Amino acid sequence: MSLEKNPPVKLPNEPAITPQIVAEHGLSPAEYESVLAIMGRAPTMVELGIFSAMWSEHCSYKSSKVWLKKLPTKAPWVIQGPGENAGVIDIGDGQAAIFKMESHNHPSYIEPYQGAATGVGGILRDVFTMGARPIANLNALRFGDPSHPKTRHLVSGVVAGIGGYGNCMGIPTVGGETNFHAAYNGNILVNAMTVGIAPAHRIFYAAAAGVGNPLVYVGSKTGRDGIHGATMASTEFNEDSEEKRPTVQVGDPFVEKLLLEACLELMATDAIVAIQDMGAAGLTSSSFEMAAKGGLGVVVELDKVPMRETGMNPYELMLSESQERMLIVLKPGREELARKIFEKWELDFAVIGHLTDTQRMVLSWHGDIVGNIPIPPLVTEAPVYERPWTLTPLPPVVDAASVPAPKDWRGSLLALMSCPDLASKAWIWHQYDHLIMGNTAIRPQDGDAALVRVPSSAKGAGHKGLAMTSDCTPRYVQAHPETGGRQAVAEAWRNITAVGALPLAVTDNMNFGNPQKPEIMGQFAGAIMGMAEACTTLDFPVVSGNVSLYNETEGRPILPTPTIGAVGVIADIAKAVGSRLTEGGLGIVLIGETKGWLGQSLYLREACGREEGAPPPVDLVVERRNGDFVRDQIALGRVDACHDVSDGGLLVALAEMCIAGGTGVEIAQPAGNAVPSHAFFYGEDQARYVIASGSADDIVEAAKAAGVPAVLLGYSGGASLVVNGLLSLPLSDIKAAHEAWLPGYMSATE
C-alpha cells in the first residue's frame, strides 16, 4: 500500500489541537483555517509544528515578501540572487564569491555566547553548503545603552561567542561594526556575514532531483536544543523571555570544521544532487525546501535520524535546530562513497529517506505514518500580508546656525573620539583572529573595508582581492527611512570604493520592530524604497539577505536597522589603499561638497544632547560620480591613503587617519568657505572622501576637469592634529581617549 495514502497515526500522549495550542505555535485563527483547508482534516502535532515553522515570519517572510521584490537583484556578474542559501557573483578567473548575512538577534539576547556562536555557525553553513570555502567573517552588532545593567554582560558574551566559533573554525573575522543605543536595551542585534570562494562552474544548489534518490543526514546528532527557534525569532520579547533559553541552539565549532571539510571533499566528487544546511526549523525546512524547489515529494524515516538524547519523538526531531547538520540528496549508488568520507571525518551519516513523485512530505516513525502533508500548498497558500503602513515624514532641517559651536574645540573632538559609537573597537576585534589563513591584506583598523587576497588562476597575475564591509546608520533610518536606506547602501559602496575596489553586490539584514504597527511597516517600506533606489543607481544588486522582524520588548521597538553587507573586487591588491596616514608631506584633499549638515549628527547628539532633524540627504548621482573618480585616482597610483567621511564628519575622519598611521596633519578651512566652522568640521554631508596624496595638485586638477568638488586642506606631518585658528591636539591625546573607553567600560565592576 502506498505510504502517501496512509492516514497519520496519533502518537501516545499526543494532545488534541486546541486554540491555545495553535496560538502557542504562532498561527493566527485565520492561518489555522488555511491549514485545515489544505489538510482536509485536523493536523497531528508534528504536522502543526511543521506549518508553524514554515509559516513563521522567520521562514516565510510573510510581512516582507511584497516589499523585498522591489529590490534589484540582477546584473551580468550575478550568478545566483536571492532564493538560495547564499548569493553568488562572478569575480573573474573562473571564480565565484558566495556570501550572505543573517541575524541571530533573539537567541543572542537570551544566551549571548551560544546565540552569537551559532549565528556564526549557521551563516558559515549557508555559504559552504553551496560549495564555497569560507574565507572571511564579518559582523554587525548593536547593543543597548552602556549604562543599562545587561549591556556589559551581553557585549562580553556575544563577542566571546563570535570569536570562539570563528577562531575554532580557522576563518578570519575581518570587519564589522558595533553601536550602542538605548533602543536596543531589550533586544540586541547580532548580524553575522560570511564570504566564501568557489569555482564558478561548480556551485551546489538545494533543488532536489531524481525520484528514488536517497536522502542523507550528515553531521551532528539531533538533540532537543533550538526547538521552536524559528517561531521564537518571529515574536516580540516580554518579561518571560529569559524562559526561552531552551530554544537557543548549542554549537560546536570543532564539529562544524569537520563538516566543512567532509562536505567539500564530497563536493569534489560527482555524488551530490542537492544539498541544504539544517538552519532555522531544522529538518523541517531543509527537507521541505529541497523537495519544493525540485517539484518532488519526500519520505523521511524519522526513527533513522541520529539522536543524542533518549526518548525523542517525531515532533522534536522535525523542529530541533541542533547545529552542524546537513541534508544531502545523493545520486543512487553513491551512498558508500559518501559514508566513507563522513565516517573518516568522524561524523554521523544516515540514509533517512528518499525522493518521490508525489509532492507530499511523508513522515514515518517505526513503520507508522505520523505526518502526511502536501508540499505545494505550503508555498502557494502560505500567508502573504500587505500590512498597513505609514511613511515617516521628513523632519525639519536643523539650521547649523542654531547649533552652538564648541567652546572648547579640543574637548569636543576628544569627546567624540571617545564616545561609545566612535571609540576604538580594538577590544572586540582583538578577540577575533583576523589574520588566520594569511590572506587578510587590510585589517579592521587599517581601512574602510576589509581586503582579503584571492589567488588568481591567471599565470603571472598578481593577487586579486575581495573587499568587504558592513554598514548602517540606524539614527538616520529612524529619522527618515528612505534617506537612511539610501545612505546605508551608499556608505557600504563608499567603503569598498575607498580601498580601490569595485563594489559588486549587496547582502542585507533587515532588522525592524513589529510589522503589525503601521509606523514600523512604514519604516520597512521606506528603507526598502531608499535601498532599491541606491542599489539601482550604483549598480549594486542585492543577491541575498535576511529579515528579522518583531525586534521589540514590551512594545518598545529597536531603531530600524537595515544592515548592508557588501562585497567588491580589485584586480591587484598591490594597488589597494588603506586609511592610515603614515608619512609627512602629503597633501590632504577633501573630495565632495561640504554644506555643514548637522541634523542627526553625532556632534549634535554628543556635544548638544539633541537627537533631531532630517538626516543628511543622499544624492546618488553625486555618490556615483565622486566614488568613481576616487577609484580612478587610486588605480592611477595617486592616492596614499583614503577614508570616507561619515559619522562625526571631517575632523573625526582626519583624526582616525592620523592615529591609525601615527602621522599628524596641519589643515585650515578653505578660504572663502562660508559654512560655520563647527558645521564644516563636524557636519555629516555625504559622498565625501579624505585623500592623502603626494600628487594632490594633480588630483585637484583632475577633479575640476571631472566636475567633482575637491579642495586642498593642508599637509600631513608632525605629531599633532592642527586646524589653524581652532585646534592643536597631540595625536597621543586623541589616541588615548579613543582607545580607553571600551576596555575601561568592560573592565569596570557593576
Side-chain angles (χ1 to χ4, degrees):
M1 182 167 56
S2 169
L3 284 173
E4 285 76 14
K5 293 179 181 175
N6 288 6
V9 300
K10 277 197 166 190
L11 294 165
N13 304 317
E14 182 170 331
I17 306 295
T18 64
Q20 180 181 348
I21 287 176
V22 170
E24 287 170 355
H25 281 73
L27 293 170
S28 71
E31 289 170 349
Y32 184 62
E33 286 300 317
S34 295
V35 173
L36 294 176
I38 289 168
M39 299 297 291
R41 58 173 171 80
T44 63
M45 277 295 291
V46 68
E47 290 170 337
L48 180 69
I50 289 168
F51 274 96
S52 165
M54 296 309 300
W55 285 5
S56 69
E57 195 75 62
H58 190 76
C59 292
S60 75
Y61 290 47
K62 57 191 175 187
S63 296
S64 57
K65 197 177 289 184
V66 294
W67 286 101
L68 295 174
K69 290 177 181 176
K70 299 181 184 299
L71 294 170
T73 59
K74 295 179 180 177
W77 54 90
V78 175
I79 296 172
Q80 175 65 52
E84 274 289 340
N85 286 292
V88 187
I89 58 173
D90 190 331
I91 59 168
D93 303 312
Q95 295 171 315
I98 299 180
F99 61 100
K100 187 183 180 185
M101 179 180 279
E102 195 155 79
S103 61
H104 232 219
N105 303 335
H106 286 46
S108 298
Y109 182 80
I110 295 168
E111 204 341 286
Y113 184 95
Q114 288 296 348
T118 52
V120 174
I123 198 64
L124 283 166
R125 287 194 304 281
D126 278 340
V127 167
F128 76 71
T129 192
M130 297 196 70
R133 178 171 290 281
I135 61 167
N137 291 329
L138 299 90
N139 55 74
L141 311 177
R142 319 282 171 186
F143 297 104
D145 190 314
S147 65
H148 189 273
K150 286 199 72 167
T151 299
R152 190 181 286 106
H153 160 72
L154 290 167
V155 173
S156 176
V158 164
V159 171
I162 290 169
Y165 208 101
N167 295 353
C168 290
M169 284 291 293
I171 296 164
T173 300
V174 298
E177 53 181 340
T178 304
N179 293 136
F180 296 83
H181 194 280
Y184 303 105
N185 281 351
N187 197 129
I188 63 172
L189 301 184
V190 176
N191 296 169
M193 176 176 168
T194 293
V195 181
I197 299 292
H201 68 278
R202 204 178 71 209
I203 309 297
F204 289 83
Y205 298 100
V211 172
N213 280 352
L215 187 69
V216 175
Y217 172 118
V218 299
S220 286
K221 289 179 168 59
T222 296
R224 290 189 171 96
D225 55 319
I227 293 173
H228 287 309
T231 309
M232 188 250 317
S234 306
T235 57
E236 290 183 33
F237 276 166
N238 56 38
E239 70 275 7
D240 301 322
S241 294
E242 293 295 324
E243 296 174 10
K244 295 183 179 177
R245 201 173 296 271
T247 63
V248 177
Q249 308 90 333
V250 178
D252 185 336
F254 298 105
V255 173
E256 178 123 338
K257 173 64 174 170
L258 301 178
L259 184 61
L260 163 65
E261 299 300 338
C263 285
L264 292 180
E265 184 174 336
L266 184 62
M267 286 166 170
T269 73
D270 67 346
I272 295 175
V273 174
I275 182 167
Q276 174 77 37
D277 84 294
M278 294 192 217
L283 188 53
T284 285
S285 63
S286 54
S287 58
F288 170 82
E289 288 173 8
M290 292 175 87
K293 287 177 180 176
L296 295 175
V298 63
V299 172
V300 183
E301 299 171 66
L302 289 168
D303 48 290
K304 294 185 177 177
V305 172
M307 300 170 228
R308 71 163 181 258
E309 298 185 44
T310 57
M312 291 192 73
N313 61 43
Y315 181 95
E316 294 169 325
L317 290 168
M318 287 301 292
L319 294 176
S320 167
E321 293 184 10
S322 293
Q323 298 291 286
E324 294 88 42
R325 302 178 301 157
M326 307 285 272
L327 201 58
I328 304 174
V329 175
L330 291 175
K331 291 181 179 176
R334 299 292 200 277
E335 294 91 330
E336 285 312 304
L337 166 72
R339 184 187 302 276
K340 285 178 182 175
I341 290 173
F342 283 92
E343 288 181 349
K344 179 185 84 173
W345 291 99
E346 299 180 345
L347 295 166
D348 276 280
F349 177 99
V351 178
I352 64 166
H354 62 274
L355 302 180
T356 70
D357 62 0
T358 64
Q359 292 193 298
R360 298 186 74 88
M361 174 186 279
V362 178
L363 310 175
S364 73
W365 180 245
H366 299 288
D368 290 327
I369 303 303
V370 294
N372 190 341
I373 301 175
I375 291 172
L378 251 78
V379 178
T380 60
E381 303 302 314
V384 176
Y385 296 120
E386 295 193 40
R387 299 199 184 275
W389 52 282
T390 55
L391 283 180
T392 306
L394 187 67
V397 173
V398 172
D399 182 359
S402 74
V403 179
K407 292 178 180 174
D408 172 9
W409 276 86
R410 289 169 51 97
S412 69
L413 180 58
L414 292 175
L416 275 172
M417 292 296 289
S418 62
C419 77
D421 278 359
L422 291 178
S424 168
K425 303 305 184 296
W427 182 91
I428 293 175
W429 55 257
H430 279 156
Q431 296 183 56
Y432 307 150
D433 193 329
H434 52 279
L435 297 175
I436 198 166
M437 298 172 78
N439 288 320
T440 307
I442 293 183
R443 302 187 292 175
Q445 79 276 30
D446 291 345
D448 288 354
L451 190 65
V452 178
R453 294 180 191 88
V454 179
S456 174
S457 57
K459 279 191 176 180
H463 281 286
K464 84 177 156 213
L466 277 186
M468 53 199 77
T469 188
S470 157
D471 238 299
C472 184
T473 311
R475 65 184 186 277
Y476 291 175
V477 190
Q478 172 86 353
H480 191 242
E482 288 169 81
T483 302
R486 210 176 284 130
Q487 191 273 342
V489 172
E491 188 171 350
W493 189 87
R494 215 183 299 142
N495 285 343
I496 289 173
T497 291
V499 300
L502 177 67
L504 289 178
V506 160
T507 180
D508 59 42
N509 207 144
M510 307 294 290
N511 308 274
F512 289 78
N514 184 343
Q516 297 175 51
K517 297 178 179 178
E519 66 275 17
I520 300 294
M521 201 63 227
Q523 292 175 344
F524 188 94
I528 289 283
M529 291 175 193
M531 289 165 56
E533 188 185 347
C535 289
T536 300
T537 304
L538 300 173
D539 281 336
F540 209 24
V542 177
V543 298
S544 60
N546 172 243
V547 175
S548 175
L549 301 177
Y550 295 96
N551 288 290
E552 298 200 4
T553 300
E554 296 183 359
R556 294 187 299 277
I558 61 164
L559 297 183
T561 311
T563 309
I564 303 296
V567 171
V569 69
I570 186 167
D572 184 357
I573 60 167
K575 294 185 176 180
V577 300
S579 59
R580 301 169 72 226
L581 192 53
T582 58
E583 60 180 295
L586 301 177
I588 305 300
V589 179
L590 174 62
I591 301 291
E593 187 178 12
T594 301
K595 294 181 178 178
W597 197 277
L598 289 174
Q600 296 299 330
S601 66
L602 284 185
Y603 175 79
L604 189 67
R605 188 180 83 189
E606 298 295 325
C608 309
R610 294 160 55 185
E611 292 187 64
E612 63 185 74
V618 180
D619 185 324
L620 294 164
V621 173
V622 170
E623 284 282 0
R624 181 76 188 250
R625 182 196 69 194
N626 293 3
D628 288 349
F629 173 80
V630 167
R631 200 180 313 106
D632 288 346
Q633 297 303 304
I634 293 172
L636 289 169
R638 290 175 170 173
V639 177
D640 293 274
C642 181
H643 192 12
D644 87 307
V645 181
S646 54
D647 279 351
L650 172 60
L651 202 52
V652 164
L654 280 166
E656 289 171 343
M657 296 175 77
C658 291
I659 61 174
T663 303
V665 294
E666 183 173 349
I667 63 164
Q669 186 169 345
N673 185 287
V675 176
S677 293
H678 64 297
F680 183 83
F681 287 110
Y682 288 135
E684 295 182 7
D685 304 77
Q686 299 295 293
R688 295 187 300 160
Y689 303 78
V690 176
I691 286 175
S693 171
S695 308
D697 292 339
D698 293 337
I699 289 176
V700 172
E701 277 299 311
K704 184 177 180 181
V708 172
V711 61
L712 181 65
L713 298 176
Y715 292 89
S716 64
S720 296
L721 194 165
V722 178
V723 180
N724 290 336
L726 292 179
L727 170 73
S728 178
L729 192 55
L731 299 189
S732 55
D733 290 0
I734 304 173
K735 188 177 175 72
H738 184 59
E739 294 181 352
W741 180 78
L742 189 53
Y745 172 70
M746 293 307 298
S747 63
T749 54
E750 296 292 349

